[in-house]
Amino acid sequence: YVEIQVDSNTAYEMDSISNDAIITVSYENHPVKGKLVIKKAGEVLESFGEEFKYKEASLAGAEFEIYAAETIYTADHQVDEQGNRHVEYEKDTLVATVVTDENGEASVDNLPLGKYRITETKAPEGYVLNTESQEVLFTYEGQNTPVVEQEVLFQNERQKVEISVQKQDAETETPLSGAVFGLYNQEDIQADGKVVVPADTLLEKAESQEDGFAAFTLDLPLGQYSRKKQLQTDTFPPMKSWNLTPPTRARKSRSLH
């Protein structure tokens, strides 16, 4: 209810017959709206001991598009002259485009109630695009709930690195076993803004097998790496290096003589 106090400062009309004061009070009902919160997470480098250790963290820079997953109508159920309800969004209409912030979040406010589809269109650098769309449904939850909130989580896989080298006889190109190689990082490797592996650190040794291949098995972060030297007493081949950063495919193999 509304209490109204009428005094000499109140503007009002007078009923011409009863001389009663006529005061008009207007009530407005605002339609319930939806709020969509998108969260983005993936593995980031945490530390290095004998192996690289990763942890899940929020990711910035992921881009999403939000579409109407169905035809979405106005909340007042009003119709046009042909008896058709007024439409907010036709099915498959692009409603919004958002990018996750430094907290790994993006949001869309004031969405009319209905069903929406969220699609990732750009992954953060160093991560694989998540191609699975998600849907959310905003439904009326009562007169005391002006905003209905829905939250979705998208996760991204890291781009992985695989490095192998092959030892061959210089004249016959026959694969040779028993050659030992060392893998080094060409630049500092950082985690949370701190250097966890200084440049030119021996990360791993690998020995060539019968097929001549020596495979490095560390779960490496993207970066620049080199097979600097052959850890044995025979010939000393030139340095070989790999730059493993997006959009380069994170699988490298090299033949050495």
Side-chain angles (χ1 to χ4, degrees), residues 134-168:
Q134 295 190 45
E135 291 188 350
V136 293
L137 177 62
F138 295 97
T139 58
Y140 184 67
E141 295 183 358
Q143 62 182 8
N144 296 318
T145 306
V147 178
V148 179
E149 191 167 323
Q150 295 280 9
E151 182 180 294
V152 293
L153 172 65
F154 281 79
Q155 293 182 302
N156 284 91
E157 293 185 5
R158 287 183 296 111
Q159 290 181 341
K160 301 295 183 71
V161 174
E162 294 180 7
I163 298 177
S164 64
V165 294
Q166 186 184 37
K167 178 65 175 176
Q168 296 179 348

Side-chain angles (χ1 to χ4, degrees), residues 19 66 68 70 89 104 129 159 164 186 206 216 223 235 247 251:
N19 290 327
I66 296 91
E70 62 183 4
Y89 298 110
L129 183 71
Q159 290 181 341
S164 64
Q186 289 190 313
F216 297 100
T235 56
R251 177 189 291 269

Side-chain angles (χ1 to χ4, degrees), residues 60-232:
E63 183 177 282
F64 295 90
E65 291 181 343
I66 296 91
Y67 294 86
E70 62 183 4
T71 300
I72 298 174
Y73 301 96
T74 58
D76 56 15
H77 289 264
Q78 295 297 308
V79 297
D80 59 21
E81 295 178 353
Q82 287 73 41
N84 300 313
R85 288 185 61 184
H86 294 157
V87 173
E88 293 272 13
Y89 298 110
E90 295 286 356
K91 183 179 179 181
D92 295 326
T93 298
L94 176 62
V95 176
T97 300
V98 294
V99 179
T100 55
D101 59 19
E102 60 183 9
N103 297 316
E105 294 188 7
S107 62
V108 183
D109 297 310
N110 297 316
L111 290 171
L113 299 186
K115 184 184 292 186
Y116 295 85
R117 181 177 68 257
I118 305 103
T119 300
E120 180 176 324
T121 55
K122 182 181 178 182
E125 183 176 345
Y127 293 85
V128 180
L129 183 71
N130 188 330
T131 58
E132 294 186 7
S133 299
Q134 295 190 45
E135 291 188 350
V136 293
L137 177 62
F138 295 97
T139 58
Y140 184 67
E141 295 183 358
Q143 62 182 8
N144 296 318
T145 306
V147 178
V148 179
E149 191 167 323
Q150 295 280 9
E151 182 180 294
V152 293
L153 172 65
F154 281 79
Q155 293 182 302
N156 284 91
E157 293 185 5
R158 287 183 296 111
Q159 290 181 341
K160 301 295 183 71
V161 174
E162 294 180 7
I163 298 177
S164 64
V165 294
Q166 186 184 37
K167 178 65 175 176
Q168 296 179 348
D169 183 276
E171 295 181 359
T172 66
E173 297 188 351
T174 302
L176 299 176
S177 62
V180 180
F181 301 96
L183 181 67
Y184 295 77
N185 54 307
Q186 289 190 313
E187 57 189 7
D188 292 341
I189 297 176
Q190 298 189 1
D192 293 328
K194 299 179 181 179
V195 176
V196 293
V197 186
D200 203 31
T201 296
L202 174 60
L203 300 172
E204 184 182 4
K205 298 177 184 179
E207 182 175 346
S208 62
Q209 304 303 305
E210 292 183 0
D211 59 0
F213 279 99
F216 297 100
T217 59
L218 278 177
D219 186 4
L220 298 166
L222 298 182
Q224 294 184 352
Y225 298 93
S226 63
R227 191 280 305 147
K228 278 191 174 181
K229 47 190 172 182
Q230 187 174 337
L231 303 177
Q232 59 182 50

